[in-house]
């Protein structure tokens, strides 16, 4: 491997180590009870992951997240694509989405809790809402940008409107759609934790905020590390899949900006 | 178009056919939707007729009858500044079945727009276009476009692009692949089957676009400057290949070009258009013997006269046609 390649590989690891060092030094300097050292927090991680109860909680969180994310993607991509290709559908949904967009989805939770209780459905629904909007938006933009002549070519080959949507608009917009999904994935994680903060009952967020209430700060920070690591892993896996799916669209020439 | 769909299931073994023989041509006329590739002849793929169950009643189809009729078509675009822009004004044109017709005209005179109307992609502001007596209401596999912008599917490889049409027509994978590989070889892209469009040069994309359209055997080819981005050598080769295909299958071709040479070399008829607003200036019959050989034709005084005459007419219109 070339030297440049090595640095590229090592860079994220170095960044993590650097962050932990700064944390360690800062907490030693501040000597504050609610700010444990990095080493202390790391020590608490095996305790959490070794605990059956905690594992069940974390898995329950992940399950809700997967369901909310999956459902959102399944609904949002077709909707976004239809909006991108039909002015009438776009005109109908755009105002609705504009209303929902700026509202923090967690702020809707109390109402949803009133209707649906504090269980899985409510939390999954909130995740669903959080993921939907970026995915709809990016699918919409991607579908709008599909070159008209490509659709014409498909029509000339005898593709019906539905076939054109599935077999031309979808693949052509895929790079854009996947960008939306990537944002959606991170938002799913965020809304997952927030929803568990509001409706405490189970989940990773529940462990975190209970520990906070009880003043177990090392557990709190350990949970933050765990959630952060989950985010990084999910994002990395997703990025791998994405790069594989849209290899055909990646830019060919990597033009360096030459900062160095 | 319907007929082709009916013919789907007939995956009979293709049998070679002498493409230049009279019977071959007759067969091609009877079954304009036919062909399937098999074998090679003089560097060209020999296409054999599909012995489909359906055969059009011969009486219904006079071989020299009009296949496309454009009747007083005008196209007015609304520009972004909310002004009316006349792209085509009162165009009437009849294209006979099996004819090779070129449209020649300055940039922006509405050549592409006219092609889109025949393709059914754009409906004219007024007037109507007909295909075989039926009003054109939308696109269909009987009219195959080759766009100026290529419009390849970027997520498909060269092979995937060329196979797309045949697969859509229900041709089996292995067979569609064999046909497509032969076409790719014909346009000179052997070895590039697994390249993605972004990995091709402009001229290569243009050739893929041509192969992709030929692959589903449209009755009418609508070609929008298909050789515009090619070097002189490849251009000549593809012109010859196109002529061979056309002479063999007697497809109807509507061919847009900027090049007077190309128009005269290829066509039965050259339609000269003039700008602002897009009109037909003149339709010139090219009365040169076929099959045409480039090296013979370039020395033929009749060919030279056509080229010189048409070029002179354009020069005159340039002088007279400065917008008032
Ligand atoms: N969608 C559109 N909206 C407004 N005007 C258009 C549109 N499409 C084409 N035009 C106008 O119509 C005219 C004809 O365009 P067209 O593309 O048919 O020209 P062309 O003869 O194919 O030119 P070229 O040889 O450069 O390809 C041009 O003046 C153009 O400005
Ligand atoms: Mg054009």
């Amino acid at each position: 491997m070339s030297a440049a390649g090595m640095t590229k590989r090592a860079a994220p690891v170095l960044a993590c180590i650097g962050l932990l060092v700064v944390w360690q030094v800062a907490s030693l300097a501040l000597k504050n009870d609610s700010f444990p050292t990095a080493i202390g927090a790391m020590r608490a991680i095996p305790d959490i992951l070794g605990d059956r109860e905690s594992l069940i909680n974390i898995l329950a969180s992940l399950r809700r997240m997967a369901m909310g994310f999956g459902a959102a993607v399944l609904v949002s991509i077709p909707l976004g694509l239809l909006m991108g290709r039909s002015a009438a559908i776009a005109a109908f949904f755009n105002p609705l989405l504009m209303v929902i967009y700026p509202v923090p989805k967690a702020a809707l939770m109390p109402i949803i809790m009133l209707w649906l209780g504090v269980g899985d459905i409510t939390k999954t629904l909130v995740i669903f809402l959080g993921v939907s909007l970026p995915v709809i938006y990016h699918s919409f933009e991607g579908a709008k940008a599909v070159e008209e002549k490509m659709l014409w070519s498909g029509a000339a080959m005898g593709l019906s409107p539905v076939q054109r949507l599935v077999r031309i608009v979808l693949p052509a917009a895929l790079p854009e759609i996947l960008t939306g999904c990537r944002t959606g994935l991170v938002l799913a994680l965020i809304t997952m934790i927030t929803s568990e903060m509001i409706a405490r009952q189970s989940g990773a967020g529940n462990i975190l905020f209970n520990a906070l209430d009880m003043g177990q700060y090392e557990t709190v920070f350990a949970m933050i590390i765990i959630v952060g690591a989950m985010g990084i892993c999910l994002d990395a896996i997703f990025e791998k899949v994405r790069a594989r799916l849209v290899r055909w669209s990646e830019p060919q020439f990597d033009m360096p900006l030459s900062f160095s | 178009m319907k007929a082709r769909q009916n013919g789907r299931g007939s995956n009979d073994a293709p049998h070679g056919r002498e493409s230049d023989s009279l019977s071959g041509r007759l067969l091609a006329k009877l079954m304009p939707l036919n062909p399937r590739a098999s074998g090679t002849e003089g560097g060209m793929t020999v296409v054999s007729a599909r012995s489909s169950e359906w055969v059009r009643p011969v009486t219904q189809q006079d071989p020299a009858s009009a296949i496309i009729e454009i009747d007083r078509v005008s196209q007015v675009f609304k520009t972004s500044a909310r002004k009316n822009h006349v792209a085509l004004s009162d165009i009437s044109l009849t294209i006979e079945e099996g004819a090779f017709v070129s449209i020649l005209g300055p940039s922006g005179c509405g050549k592409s727009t006219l092609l889109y109307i025949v393709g059914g992609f754009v409906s004219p502001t007024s007037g109507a276009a007909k295909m075989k007596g039926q009003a054109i209401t939308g696109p269909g596999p009987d009219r195959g476009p080759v766009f100026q912008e290529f419009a390849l599917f970027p997520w498909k490889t060269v092979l995937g692009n060329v196979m797309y049409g045949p697969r859509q027509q229900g041709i089996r994978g292995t067979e569609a692949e064999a046909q497509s590989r032969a076409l790719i070889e014909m346009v000179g892209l052997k070895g590039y089957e697994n390249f993605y469009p972004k990995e091709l040069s402009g001229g290569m994309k243009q050739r893929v676009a041509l192969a992709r359209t030929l692959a589903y055997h449209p009755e009418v080819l609508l070609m929008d400057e298909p050789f515009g981005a090619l070097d002189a050598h490849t251009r000549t080769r593809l012109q010859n290949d196109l002529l061979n295909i056309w002479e063999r299958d007697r497809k109807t071709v509507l061919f847009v070009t900027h090049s007077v040479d190309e128009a005269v070399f290829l066509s039965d008829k050259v339609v000269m258009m003039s700008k602002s607003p897009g009109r037909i200036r003149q339709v010139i019959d090219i009365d040169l013997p076929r099959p045409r050989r480039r090296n013979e034709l370039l020395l033929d005084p009749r060919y030279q006269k056509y080229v010189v005459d048409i070029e002179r007419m354009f020069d005159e219109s340039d002088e007279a046609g400065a917008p008032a």
Side-chain angles (χ1 to χ4, degrees), chain A residues 173-187:
Chain A
L174 197 63
E176 184 74 35
I177 293 173
L178 291 179
T179 306
C181 290
R182 199 174 165 190
T183 316
L185 192 64
V186 176
L187 280 174

Side-chain angles (χ1 to χ4, degrees), chain B residues 223-286:
Chain B
M223 309 177 83
D224 200 349
E225 299 183 33
F227 303 148
L230 301 181
D231 61 284
H233 175 74
T234 315
R235 192 179 178 112
T236 311
R237 243 204 49 226
L238 282 180
Q239 284 173 353
N240 283 325
D241 285 346
L242 180 62
L243 270 191
N244 284 335
I245 292 171
W246 174 79
E247 270 158 16
R248 190 186 60 214
D249 298 348
R250 284 292 161 159
K251 288 181 193 306
T252 310
V253 180
L254 196 52
F255 188 94
V256 169
T257 175
H258 277 136
S259 155
V260 178
D261 293 336
E262 186 171 72
V264 175
F265 174 54
L266 295 172
S267 322
D268 297 321
K269 228 186 222 185
V270 173
V271 178
M272 288 177 62
M273 290 182 65
S274 61
K275 211 180 165 178
S276 50
R279 291 179 188 283
I280 293 181
R281 244 180 79 96
Q282 199 156 0
V283 180
I284 300 162
D285 285 307
I286 306 294

Side-chain angles (χ1 to χ4, degrees), chain A residues 55-128:
Chain A
L55 273 183
I56 290 173
N57 271 309
I58 293 173
L59 285 179
S61 290
L62 284 174
R63 203 193 62 230
R64 281 193 292 271
M65 183 179 149
M67 275 167 47
F69 179 79
V73 162
L74 284 181
V75 173
S76 305
I77 293 176
L79 178 61
L81 294 182
L82 281 171
M83 283 169 62
R85 295 313 311 176
S86 154
I89 296 177
F92 181 80
F93 282 102
N94 257 331
L96 286 175
L97 295 175
M98 284 325 276
V99 171
I100 305 175
Y101 201 22
V103 178
K105 305 312 161 278
L108 299 173
M109 248 196 95
I111 306 171
I112 302 175
M113 270 159 62
L114 277 182
W115 296 339
L116 300 174
V118 291
D120 271 6
I121 300 178
T122 303
K123 289 171 194 158
T124 312
L125 186 63
V126 174
I127 296 170
F128 173 91

Side-chain angles (χ1 to χ4, degrees), chain B residues 77-79 85 87 106-113 148 224-225 258:
Chain B
F77 286 114
K78 275 258 186 291
T79 59
H85 179 85
S107 180
C109 70
K111 305 181 294 295
S112 297
T113 308
Q148 211 171 350
D224 200 349
E225 299 183 33
H258 277 136

Side-chain angles (χ1 to χ4, degrees), chain A residues 147 149-160 163-164 167-169 171-172 247-252, chain B residues 116 121-122 139-141 143 145 147 149-155 161 164-165 168-169 196 198-199 212 216:
Chain A
E147 200 192 332
K149 305 272 155 50
M150 225 141 76
L151 292 167
W152 288 5
S153 297
M157 289 174 191
L159 271 77
S160 68
Q163 282 177 319
R164 289 202 292 275
R167 293 179 44 195
I168 295 182
V169 178
R247 223 172 353 183
W248 52 268
S249 79
E250 300 292 283
Q252 259 176 102
Chain B
Y116 300 159
F121 309 115
V122 168
R143 284 151 291 140
F147 293 113
E149 303 88 343
F150 326 130
L152 298 175
F153 302 136
W155 63 94
N161 266 282
Y164 207 95
Q168 178 64 22
Q169 317 278 268
Y196 284 100
K198 68 158 189 185
E199 296 159 338
R212 182 179 66 171
Y216 58 92

